[in-house]
């Protein structure tokens, strides 16, 4: 698998025409010192996304260019090593691209992040596969919790608990029998964890809610049933795909708040759920 991925990446690198003439021009102009943000806007138009450390541009239909978020005009390089309004320096921003494009990291956490195909020598930009952010409702459906979550606050609380659970139980040993035992213990552990969390916005309704049965059932059977809030993080942990996301995030210290709809998407190459932005590694 590793050899196939390395060969595929090498093939694309040696045949950069695959990415189009505009990308070739971008690569050439930035290699001689032109501002990567200015050139990207000139060749690819307005960005399709922007974060604290990087700006994202569309390259064709299948790729995106992630450029470090620096001013289009500045006095000298030393100015960029001062923290900007978000608290990041140029070094922080370069590091985000270095981590994401690292082949060893991509192989170790395959299918967890978008694939990278081209990288600037100084890491000021990377060319990666395009992944559309998943919508909130679609994410709930994919995790199997659409019928349980009734607010984004509930989702945030559940993510924090599942994430902390992963850290405390240290699932990185990939012991499947241990994971099975972990899930059996989840209810009591989560109750203890929740009681120690400082969730100021928690309400009684967040903890336990009444959900009506589907209207297709006879009226005589329309009896409300109760579910426990802790069913939500437990289902997150029972979802094999999301369990890998949680484990990766916990191991790499990617904050739980980053595991939200806007920062998760479906890879066009693998069809799997991936983490889009790793700026906070």
């Amino acid at each position: 698998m590793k050899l196939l991925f390395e060969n595929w990446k090498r093939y694309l690198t040696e045949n950069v025409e695959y990415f189009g003439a505009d990308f070739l021009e971008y690569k050439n102009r930035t290699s001689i010192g032109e501002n990567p943000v200015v050139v990207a806007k000139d060749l690819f138009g307005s960005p399709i996304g922007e974060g604290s450390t990087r700006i994202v541009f569309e390259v064709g239909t299948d790729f995106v260019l992630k450029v470090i978020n620096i001013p289009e005009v500045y006095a000298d390089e030393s100015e960029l090593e001062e923290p900007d309004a978000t608290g990041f320096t140029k070094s922080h921003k370069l590091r985000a691209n270095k981590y994401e494009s690292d082949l060893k990291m991509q192989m170790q956490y395959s299918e967890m992040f978008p694939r990278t195909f081209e990288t600037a020598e100084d890491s000021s930009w990377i060319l990666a596969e395009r992944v559309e952010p998943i919508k909130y409702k679609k994410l709930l459906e994919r995790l199997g919790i659409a019928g349980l979550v009734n607010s984004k606050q509930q989702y945030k609380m559940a993510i924090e608990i599942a994430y902390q659970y992963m850290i405390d139980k240290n699932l990185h040993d990939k012991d499947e029998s241990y994971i099975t035992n972990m899930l059996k213990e989840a209810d009591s552990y989560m109750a203890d964890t929740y009681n120690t969390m400082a969730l100021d916005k928690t309400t009684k309704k967040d903890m336990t809610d009444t959900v009506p049965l589907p209207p297709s059932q006879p009226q005589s059977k329309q009896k409300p049933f109760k579910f426990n809030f802790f069913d939500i993080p437990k289902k997150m942990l029972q979802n094999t795909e999301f369990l890998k996301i949680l484990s990766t995030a916990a191991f790499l210290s990617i904050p739980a708040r980053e595991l939200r709809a806007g920062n998760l998407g479906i890879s066009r190459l693998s069809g799997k759920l991936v983490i889009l932005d790793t700026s906070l590694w």
Side-chain angles (χ1 to χ4, degrees):
M1 175 64 184
K2 181 177 181 180
L3 182 61
L4 286 175
F5 180 65
E6 287 178 332
N7 288 340
W8 171 241
K9 187 171 182 179
R10 187 180 301 113
Y11 170 79
L12 292 178
T13 301
E14 294 172 353
N15 296 272
V16 289
E17 293 84 357
Y18 180 84
F19 303 119
D22 285 341
F23 174 70
L24 281 176
E25 182 178 346
Y26 179 82
K27 186 176 180 180
N28 291 332
R29 288 172 60 180
T30 54
S31 68
I32 59 175
E34 288 194 51
N35 186 304
V37 176
V38 173
V39 180
K41 289 184 177 180
D42 180 36
L43 295 174
F44 305 113
S46 299
I48 59 174
E50 182 173 347
S52 300
T53 62
R54 296 178 293 179
I55 304 174
V56 182
F57 297 87
E58 181 180 52
V59 178
T61 58
D62 297 321
F63 306 101
V64 291
L65 186 70
K66 298 183 179 182
V67 185
I68 57 171
N69 193 346
I70 58 174
E72 294 182 40
V73 179
Y74 53 88
D76 55 59
E77 283 290 320
S78 62
E79 180 181 328
L80 300 180
E81 286 310 321
E82 294 295 325
D84 59 16
T86 63
F88 291 104
T89 66
K90 181 181 178 180
S91 295
H92 288 124
K93 299 168 184 179
L94 291 172
R95 198 174 303 134
N97 274 349
K98 287 179 181 177
Y99 281 138
E100 186 167 333
S101 61
D102 182 80
L103 178 60
K104 183 178 178 181
M105 186 70 72
Q106 289 203 1
M107 292 307 304
Q108 185 174 356
Y109 300 100
S110 62
E111 300 184 342
M112 292 293 100
F113 306 102
R115 301 284 177 85
T116 302
F117 301 108
E118 274 276 315
T119 310
E121 288 188 9
D122 62 355
S123 297
S124 58
W125 57 262
I126 61 175
L127 186 74
E129 68 166 305
R130 180 170 184 170
V131 178
E132 295 293 338
I134 191 170
K135 299 294 185 182
Y136 176 67
K137 290 184 178 179
K138 289 293 184 181
L139 176 59
L140 298 186
E141 291 173 2
R142 195 172 182 98
L143 300 187
I145 57 176
L148 300 178
V149 179
N150 61 18
S151 71
K152 289 186 178 181
Q153 179 61 22
Q154 271 194 342
Y155 176 81
K156 292 177 182 178
M157 291 158 54
I159 281 288
E160 289 288 350
I161 291 174
Y163 179 82
Q164 188 60 46
Y165 187 75
M166 292 296 294
I167 293 176
D168 292 350
K169 291 296 183 180
N170 191 23
L171 295 181
H172 314 304
D173 57 9
K174 300 181 181 179
D175 185 342
E176 294 182 1
S177 62
Y178 182 78
I179 293 176
T180 301
N181 293 332
M182 174 203 72
L183 294 174
K184 291 179 180 178
E185 300 168 1
D187 286 330
S188 59
Y189 173 82
M190 289 175 182
D192 292 339
T193 301
Y194 182 84
N195 290 332
T196 64
M197 292 179 67
L199 297 171
D200 297 333
K201 296 182 180 180
T202 301
T203 64
K204 189 173 183 180
K205 184 178 180 62
D206 285 327
M207 293 292 296
T208 306
D209 207 354
T210 300
V211 180
L213 291 175
S216 59
Q217 296 193 22
Q219 187 64 33
S220 60
K221 295 183 180 180
Q222 289 287 326
K223 294 181 180 180
F225 64 92
K226 296 270 187 176
F227 78 89
N228 193 296
F229 165 77
F230 301 110
D231 289 340
I232 302 172
K234 186 174 181 181
K235 277 190 171 293
M236 288 178 173
L237 291 166
Q238 290 172 328
N239 184 296
T240 304
E241 179 180 56
F242 199 60
L243 183 65
K244 292 179 181 178
I245 293 284
L246 282 166
S247 180
T248 300
F251 185 74
L252 297 175
S253 298
I254 300 173
R257 64 177 179 273
E258 293 300 298
L259 304 183
R260 50 186 167 76
N263 201 35
L264 296 172
I266 307 300
S267 167
R268 295 185 181 183
L269 296 178
S270 68
K272 302 292 183 63
L273 195 67
V274 297
I275 303 172
L276 296 182
D277 185 45
T278 53
S279 298
L280 296 177
W281 285 17

